[in-house]
């Protein structure tokens, strides 16, 4: 599954396979309503923050499609939407870190699969001191289990954490 819709489709299939279609539909509807509520609450932002989501640090790998979609629902804009549609991490590598600097993200969210995101390491990268997210200390971690697995956690816990990050940024930049 590579998109929010594909995640919902797979979750429905799992519910059907275990003979719990009605319960599954009920849970999926609750998740959809939560996403709609989040999107509704963030739709009136005057300025949406640009977000760089980093799945891996060396090499830099940007977020996959469902992460990009959830970013939009949470009120932000993906700095690398053209890469989000690439299903394989190797196709989302940003070889030149200056490209990230040039996109000037307002927020950086790290979710390094299998290791702790280290904001101080990100902030100390050559040339990154000029990025708004670094200047304004807007570097955050969302655990990979909450966002990088194409399942319920991304649609609930991950997006809620993203929403909090974006709303905090909004409160300081409105």
């Amino acid at each position: 599954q590579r998109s929010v819709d594909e995640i919902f489709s797979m979750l429905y299939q799992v519910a059907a396979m275990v003979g719990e279609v009605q319960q599954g539909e009920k849970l999926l509807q609750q998740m959809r309503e939560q996403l709609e509520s989040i999107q509704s609450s963030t739709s009136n932002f005057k300025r949406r923050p640009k977000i760089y989501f980093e799945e891996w640090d060396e090499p830099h790998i940007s977020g996959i499609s469902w992460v990009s979609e959830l970013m939009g629902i949470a009120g932000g804009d993906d700095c690398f939407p053209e890469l989000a549609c690439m299903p394989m991490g190797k196709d989302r590598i940003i070889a030149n870190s200056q490209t990230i600097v040039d996109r000037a993200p307002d927020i950086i969210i790290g979710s390094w699969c299998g290791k702790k995101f280290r904001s101080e390491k990100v902030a100390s990268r050559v040339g990154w001191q000029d990025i708004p997210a670094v200047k304004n200390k807007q570097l955050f971690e969302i655990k990979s289990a909450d966002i990088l697995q194409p399942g319920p956690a991304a649609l609930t816990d991950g997006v809620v954490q993203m929403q909090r990050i974006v709303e905090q940024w909004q409160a300081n930049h409105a």
Side-chain angles (χ1 to χ4, degrees):
Q1 306 82 58
R2 299 291 187 227
S3 69
V4 169
D5 283 343
E6 288 175 3
I7 293 170
F8 274 116
S9 177
M10 178 51 73
L11 293 173
Y12 177 82
Q13 290 175 36
V14 169
M17 286 191 293
V18 298
E20 293 292 340
V21 171
Q22 285 185 321
Q23 183 67 15
E25 285 178 334
K26 181 180 174 183
L27 290 170
L28 293 175
Q29 184 58 33
Q30 289 171 352
M31 284 187 241
R32 282 189 180 95
E33 288 171 3
Q34 179 185 11
L35 292 179
E36 289 168 7
S37 175
I38 291 169
Q39 189 163 33
S40 177
S41 73
T42 63
S43 66
N44 294 325
F45 291 163
K46 291 180 181 164
R47 180 171 171 245
R48 296 169 61 88
K50 294 182 292 181
I51 302 173
Y52 168 53
F53 186 96
E54 188 171 86
E55 274 189 30
W56 194 248
D57 59 334
E58 295 174 13
H60 307 301
I61 300 178
S62 65
I64 196 164
S65 184
W66 74 80
V67 171
S68 182
E69 289 177 65
L70 294 175
M71 240 184 267
I73 289 168
D77 291 324
D78 188 351
C79 278
F80 292 95
E82 73 279 9
L83 297 179
C85 62
M86 302 298 187
M88 304 300 292
K90 67 182 178 73
D91 298 321
R92 288 181 274 113
I93 290 174
I94 303 164
N96 184 346
S97 69
Q98 184 61 42
T99 306
I100 301 164
V101 174
D102 293 344
R103 302 267 174 124
D106 299 301
I107 297 170
I108 296 173
I109 299 173
S111 188
W112 299 344
C113 220
K115 66 179 180 178
K116 182 171 177 37
F117 174 74
R118 296 188 44 220
S119 61
E120 71 282 357
K121 183 177 176 186
V122 172
S124 69
R125 291 174 181 164
V126 175
W128 285 47
Q129 68 279 357
D130 296 326
I131 294 177
V134 174
K135 282 194 239 183
N136 298 316
K137 296 180 175 40
Q138 295 296 296
L139 295 97
F140 304 93
E141 177 180 32
I142 297 178
K143 301 277 187 211
S144 58
D146 291 340
I147 194 73
L148 289 182
Q149 304 302 318
L155 303 178
T156 56
D157 302 347
V159 72
V160 167
Q161 290 174 57
M162 242 186 241
Q163 177 189 18
R164 271 190 236 121
I165 291 166
V166 172
E167 286 178 345
Q168 176 188 357
W169 182 89
Q170 282 293 326
N172 295 324
H173 296 88

